[in-house]
Amino acid sequence: QARLVESGGGLVQAGGSLRLSCAAPRTILSVFTSNTKGWYRQVPGKERELVATLGYGGETNYADSVKGRFTISRDNTKRTVYLQMNSLQPEDTGVYYCNHRTPAGHDSWGQGTQVTVIS
C-alpha cells in the first residue's frame, strides 16, 4: 500500500476556500501516474462518499454536489494530488480522505483531514 499524507483541512466560513494536499513521497513516479487518485469524504453516521477522482489520462469525475466548485489536480514531480475547494458550504463539512487505486483495484487511503464549514 502507498503511504499517503494529507494536509490542508481546517475551519472556514461559508463561501471560503481551502486546498487539500495528498502527498505520496515513497511512491515511484510510474506507480503514482498509473494510479487513479481520488478524494472522498465522510460524516458521522454516513458512508464514505466520492467527491472527485482523477484518472491516469487526466480524466476527472466529480460528485454532483461539488461540480463547478471543486477541482482535483496532480503534480507528478511532487507525487501530490490536490483538491481545490471553492465556495464552500456547511454541507461540505466532513473528514476528507485521499485515495489511490492501482489498475488492479488495490486501494490505499490517507489518514483523513477534517474540513469544517461554518455559516
Side-chain angles (χ1 to χ4, degrees), residues 36-54:
T36 296
K37 289 76 145 174
W39 288 95
Y40 293 72
R41 69 183 172 203
Q42 190 168 23
V43 298
K46 293 189 176 181
E47 292 187 355
R48 195 171 296 185
E49 63 176 359
L50 182 146
V51 175
T53 60
L54 176 61

Side-chain angles (χ1 to χ4, degrees), residues 33-108:
T33 56
S34 67
N35 287 346
T36 296
K37 289 76 145 174
W39 288 95
Y40 293 72
R41 69 183 172 203
Q42 190 168 23
V43 298
K46 293 189 176 181
E47 292 187 355
R48 195 171 296 185
E49 63 176 359
L50 182 146
V51 175
T53 60
L54 176 61
Y56 169 76
E59 64 276 17
T60 57
N61 181 46
Y62 295 95
D64 287 343
S65 60
V66 307
K67 284 180 181 177
R69 300 188 298 121
F70 290 12
T71 303
I72 187 170
S73 63
R74 66 190 175 197
D75 185 331
N76 290 340
T77 61
K78 295 182 179 180
R79 315 289 198 271
T80 300
V81 181
Y82 303 99
L83 185 69
Q84 178 66 43
M85 306 186 293
N86 298 328
S87 302
L88 283 160
Q89 301 301 317
E91 52 266 33
D92 296 318
T93 294
V95 179
Y96 283 70
Y97 294 91
C98 175
N99 170 268
H100 281 202
R101 178 166 294 172
T102 69
H106 297 130
D107 285 322
S108 297

